[in-house]
Amino acid sequence: MSAVRVLGVRHHGPGSARALRRELDRLRPDAILVEGPPEADALVALAPDLEPPVALLAHVPGAPARATFWPFARFSPEWQAILYGVAAGVPVRFCDLPAAHSLADDEEAGEETGEGTGEGLRTDPIGALAAAAGHDDPERWWEDVVEHRGDTPFEVIAEAMAAVREGHVPAGREARREAYMRKVLRAAIKEGFGTIAVVCGAWHVPALAGPLPPAAADNALLRGLPKVKAELTWVPWTYGRLASWSGYGAGITSPGWYHHLFTAPDRPVERWLTEAAAVLREEGLPVSSAHVIESVRLAATLAGLRGRPLAGLGEVTEAARAVLCEGDDLAVELIQRRMVVADRLGHVTDGTPMVPLQRDLREQRRRLKLRPEALDRELDLDLRKPLDLERSHLLHRLRLLEVGWGTPGQARGKGTFRESWTLQWRPEHDLALIEHAALGTTVAAAAARRARDLAGAASAALADLTALVEQCLLADLPQALPGVLAALSAKAALDTDVTQLMAALPAMVRAHRYGDVRGTSAEGLAVIVRSMLDRICVGLPVAVTALDDDAAAGLLKHVDAVHAAVALLAEPPTGPPPPTAPEPEADADDGPAAKADADDGDDSGEAADEGGAGGSPRARWLGTLRGIADRQDLHGLIEGRLTRLLLDCGELADAGDRMSRAMSRGQTPVRAAAWVEGFLSGGGLLLVHDPRLLGLVDAWLTALPADQFTDVLPLLRRTFGGFAVPERRAVGERVSAAGRASGTGGTGSTGEPHIDERRAAGAVATVLAIIGRDRG
């Protein structure tokens, strides 16, 4: 006759996990049944070699959206039961409803319950027990009576749950789950196991303990359930995901604290606050041993005042805030992030079932020395180094496969040979790899196939295709480029919207440049770029006609983007330098002249490459802007910006006259303000270095009547508010100096600032003494 012991636990409860392990040592069962999908029985043997947190992933091949996870932490009672069974040579079987049935129901996929509230129950069972005990915080009550105890009273928990479930009739999915649990239990009894331990959520204990109902009723409930083919494997999990998980084992908001309670059963408060002090010291905060001692005393005092058997997370957090952090919320947030959540990432072994795409990524991670981590990690790449270049290719290929392991950021330093990434591995990335497994057995092959599929989609917009070309070059996918370029060429030939072409061109130019610096061939790309630019130059004069304020602002962004792209296209293409060559860094003191020299560089190479009677792309583009800028029907914002662009490129000698006309009395104040906004949107240094332009703006502003000044003030505030603080300060000083000069004769007709020789005498004497000269 089999002896069945049903052990009700709280999923991810450290007190339950310790008590369960001791109870199993005492019982020495012949078989262990654990709440979970039975299809995972074959994966149990891998558990000792895994590093939790990990999760069982169940998914439907070909339908990755139909997937669910069963996460396990080191302090999960189910995990400890599995480890015990494998170490003792005891059969361990999962006894919950099979994933094949769960995933067949779209409403159930992705929602595995924990202690669970059944479909027919609208009350939290733990909350009901806490309320009966006179506590208004169910989590704190459970910690006090279970997690902080030396042992878990399994019999008491079973009785309490039986009282809570009294009168409750399981229905729907809850009834099916418990019926299947009993079915597995009957099968184990039939096999003749002497002692059987059943580890399940405390809510299910009344359904499994005591005499079992007739098997016929359970079989009838399970008969005819929908079924799909389900595949299961182990995948890494994180404590951060465990804290936010809404399915199996929900409600664990402090996994790092629970991990600590499980691994440090003796003096947990002292050890926790000591570790918190170490975390703060790592960040340069002065925390002494006296701080730790006083914080321990405070936590114990708070627990005593509140009638708690042991200081909980609330007490130690308040003690850390008051003593260790001295009231600093940022320091408390650091402890919360690093310790309370403790976003550690689990690991699985090579023997774990994986799709070929996962295995290829695993091998590449090892070869490229990229370790997946749960916390954000900054990675700076120098693309001249072969190792960093391969890392860049891998991260870009994964982004094509919708695996966002790396997020590109702003590169540190100058030059196109730098990339900056923020890396963070999330469990969902394994599911994305499984989803795209049919595209290829390697990351490169799958990414290339994905790129071709995206290019062939009928809904692909021109901007999407240009971005895809750029992605293919960044990911080094030459096998995918021909098809993508063909789709882009066909789309561009049919697109008549100039703004669409302008939105697409910058990415194409970047792709052209990336092909150069990375040594990646992009044949045919230059022809497409030139064709798109020609069509933009033809269509832009019509596009700038009769624009309202919003349309002008939108078009202006496209004009700036195309202008920057043309400047990049005009630079002579260069191949990658030798791997050992130092990166060229621009001199921080290079002024506008250096920029103008770069812009006005030799275009002969570009002309030779591009060909055509229209000259270089830069000359074609600037000629178009010059023709538009001379028109009288432009929106003030557009006219002002075009004037500034042409001035910066050395194409205008009459910018002052144009500004004077734009701000003359014949123009409305609103249009004049829009002109100024467009002209100055590139920065305010021009006003600092050109006294005439500054004088024109100043004279126009001071001449405005009060009512008109109020009308244009929002535009002016937006314009000057976009300047950097040093630029605004310099402009203000120039205006102030000009004002003093007009009143005291400080600035002459030449515009030179007035110098007060009496105030300057001391500084002059000091400088002469330093250089060893007498003032004579």
Side-chain angles (χ1 to χ4, degrees):
M1 182 67 180
S2 298
V4 177
R5 183 82 161 96
V6 183
L7 306 174
V9 299
R10 184 193 189 189
H11 302 299
H12 316 309
S16 296
R18 284 197 304 269
L20 175 68
R21 193 64 185 252
R22 285 194 295 268
E23 184 68 9
L24 292 177
D25 287 334
R26 186 188 68 81
L27 287 175
R28 297 186 180 277
D30 300 307
I32 300 174
L33 305 183
V34 178
E35 185 178 332
E39 296 96 331
D41 287 351
L43 302 175
V44 167
L46 299 173
D49 296 326
L50 307 181
E51 181 181 338
V54 293
L56 284 170
L57 164 63
H59 66 96
V60 178
R66 306 178 78 172
T68 190
F69 298 87
W70 286 262
F72 297 87
R74 184 178 177 184
F75 50 82
S76 300
E78 298 88 347
W79 183 257
Q80 292 300 318
I82 292 172
L83 294 183
Y84 173 88
V86 175
V90 175
V92 178
R93 299 173 184 175
F94 289 104
C95 62
D96 206 344
L97 191 68
H101 296 311
S102 299
L103 295 175
D105 187 344
D106 290 336
E107 295 181 358
E108 294 178 0
E111 291 296 329
E112 289 302 318
T113 61
E115 285 75 24
T117 56
E119 292 175 339
L121 189 65
R122 294 293 180 260
T123 303
D124 176 16
I126 296 179
L129 292 175
H135 290 257
D136 58 358
D137 188 338
E139 292 294 319
R140 176 168 291 189
W141 174 82
W142 183 267
E143 283 192 357
D144 289 346
V145 301
V146 177
E147 306 305 341
H148 292 167
R149 290 175 56 95
D151 60 341
T152 295
F154 290 107
E155 295 82 359
V156 175
I157 291 176
E159 292 177 7
M161 287 299 170
V164 172
R165 286 182 55 137
E166 186 175 358
H168 168 66
V169 179
R173 185 166 183 269
E174 180 193 0
R176 295 192 294 270
R177 290 183 63 203
E178 293 181 347
Y180 199 89
M181 291 179 187
R182 290 189 291 266
K183 180 178 180 179
V184 175
L185 178 56
R186 291 190 192 96
I189 295 173
K190 188 175 181 180
E191 289 185 49
F193 292 114
T195 302
I196 302 173
V198 181
V199 181
C200 63
W203 173 254
H204 302 296
V205 172
L208 303 177
L212 299 179
D218 289 340
N219 292 336
L221 190 62
L222 297 172
R223 188 176 298 116
L225 291 180
K227 187 176 182 180
V228 294
K229 179 183 178 181
E231 295 183 358
L232 280 82
T233 187
W234 291 107
V235 296
W237 202 251
T238 69
Y239 276 176
R241 287 288 292 161
L242 193 62
S244 62
W245 188 241
S246 61
Y248 179 91
I252 306 303
T253 58
S254 50
W257 169 250
Y258 274 17
H259 179 93
H260 175 77
L261 289 179
F262 182 76
T263 56
D266 61 316
R267 306 178 72 85
V269 174
E270 291 86 345
R271 296 178 185 275
W272 176 268
L273 290 170
T274 300
E275 186 178 348
V279 168
L280 296 175
R281 290 192 196 105
E282 290 177 1
E283 298 299 322
L285 299 177
V287 181
S288 66
S289 299
H291 284 87
V292 177
I293 294 172
E294 188 58 34
S295 62
V296 171
R297 289 174 178 169
L298 179 56
T301 302
L302 290 172
L305 289 173
R306 295 166 181 172
R308 305 196 66 184
L310 178 72
L313 180 59
E315 286 72 31
V316 297
T317 299
E318 291 178 39
R321 180 192 302 276
V323 182
L324 301 184
C325 304
E326 298 180 348
D328 186 353
D329 289 338
L330 291 179
V332 177
E333 176 61 27
L334 177 65
I335 295 175
Q336 172 76 20
R337 185 175 65 253
R338 295 271 294 274
M339 294 182 62
V340 177
V341 176
D343 206 3
R344 67 178 65 208
L345 175 68
H347 298 281
V348 299
T349 63
D350 291 338
T352 304
M354 300 180 187
V355 297
L357 194 57
Q358 288 176 293
R359 293 196 179 278
D360 180 65
L361 176 58
R362 194 179 183 90
E363 291 301 321
Q364 292 199 55
R365 286 195 312 226
R366 289 175 179 169
R367 183 173 59 84
L368 300 178
K369 302 176 182 178
L370 288 174
R371 179 181 174 85
E373 298 176 21
L375 293 175
D376 288 350
R377 180 168 73 91
E378 299 297 325
L379 178 66
D380 292 320
L381 301 179
D382 184 344
L383 302 182
R384 297 168 299 179
K385 299 177 180 179
L387 177 62
D388 283 358
L389 183 59
E390 287 192 66
R391 288 172 170 176
S392 173
H393 290 160
L394 175 62
L395 294 173
H396 282 293
R397 289 168 183 171
L398 289 174
R399 285 176 62 81
L400 262 174
L401 295 174
E402 299 177 297
V403 179
W405 180 19
T407 302
Q410 185 65 38
R412 300 173 184 174
K414 299 180 180 179
T416 55
F417 297 102
R418 296 284 187 186
E419 277 187 354
S420 179
W421 294 82
T422 300
L423 305 184
Q424 183 190 38
W425 186 265
R426 297 192 298 272
E428 294 86 348
H429 296 337
D430 281 295
L431 187 58
L433 290 170
I434 294 173
E435 176 182 356
H436 295 96
L439 298 178
T441 58
T442 66
V443 174
R449 175 65 180 275
R450 170 75 172 164
R452 289 193 292 266
D453 290 348
L454 291 174
S459 59
L462 183 61
D464 296 334
L465 291 174
T466 56
L468 186 59
V469 171
E470 185 177 10
Q471 286 180 289
C472 288
L473 290 171
L474 292 171
D476 189 27
L477 300 174
Q479 65 272 40
L481 265 179
V484 178
L485 287 175
L488 173 64
S489 179
K491 190 73 173 180
L494 298 176
D495 202 319
T496 59
D497 189 342
V498 173
T499 57
Q500 291 285 341
L501 293 170
M502 297 177 76
L505 184 68
M508 289 295 297
V509 173
R510 287 196 303 269
H512 185 270
R513 294 298 299 171
Y514 285 135
D516 292 331
V517 301
R518 292 169 177 260
T520 305
S521 174
E523 295 182 7
L525 195 57
V527 175
I528 298 175
V529 169
R530 180 60 178 269
S531 173
M532 291 174 64
L533 181 60
D534 287 344
R535 296 176 62 193
I536 290 171
C537 290
V538 170
L540 185 59
V542 177
V544 299
T545 304
L547 299 179
D548 59 16
D549 292 344
D550 293 337
L555 184 62
L556 193 61
K557 294 178 181 179
H558 291 307
V559 170
D560 284 340
V562 172
H563 187 74
V566 170
L568 184 64
L569 188 64
E571 296 177 8
T574 57
T580 58
E583 180 181 357
E585 293 288 339
D587 190 343
D589 295 330
D590 286 347
K595 182 179 184 300
D597 289 342
D599 287 340
D600 293 333
D602 183 10
D603 291 325
S604 59
E606 184 69 37
D609 288 342
E610 302 292 347
S616 70
R618 181 175 182 273
R620 180 83 168 91
W621 171 248
L622 293 179
T624 301
L625 296 186
R626 182 60 184 266
I628 296 173
D630 292 334
R631 288 168 45 178
Q632 302 299 316
D633 61 340
L634 296 179
H635 190 282
L637 189 67
I638 298 295
E639 182 181 350
R641 187 61 185 146
L642 296 186
T643 302
R644 176 63 181 275
L645 293 178
L646 292 169
L647 176 63
D648 288 345
C649 292
E651 295 291 323
L652 282 183
D654 60 343
D657 296 337
R658 290 172 181 263
M659 176 179 280
S660 180
R661 289 195 300 269
M663 295 186 296
S664 65
R665 293 184 179 276
Q667 303 289 347
T668 64
V670 173
R671 188 186 188 283
W675 195 99
V676 172
E677 180 183 2
F679 185 80
L680 297 180
S681 62
L685 283 179
L686 186 64
L687 294 181
V688 177
H689 297 296
D690 194 325
R692 184 193 176 196
L693 296 181
L694 178 60
L696 288 171
V697 175
D698 185 39
W700 170 68
L701 281 175
T702 55
L704 285 176
D707 57 337
Q708 294 183 358
F709 179 81
T710 303
D711 291 339
V712 301
L713 184 58
L715 290 175
L716 296 173
R717 179 172 294 173
R718 183 172 61 195
T719 300
F720 286 91
F723 295 171
V725 174
E727 291 181 359
R728 293 202 300 267
R729 183 183 302 114
V731 171
E733 290 173 353
R734 292 285 184 177
V735 173
S736 177
R740 290 195 302 270
S742 63
T744 61
T747 301
S749 59
T750 61
E752 293 297 328
H754 170 71
I755 298 177
D756 189 335
E757 294 188 3
R758 182 182 60 81
R759 297 180 61 190
V764 172
T766 301
V767 173
L768 291 176
I770 292 174
I771 64 177
R773 292 180 58 184
D774 294 331
R775 185 171 185 179

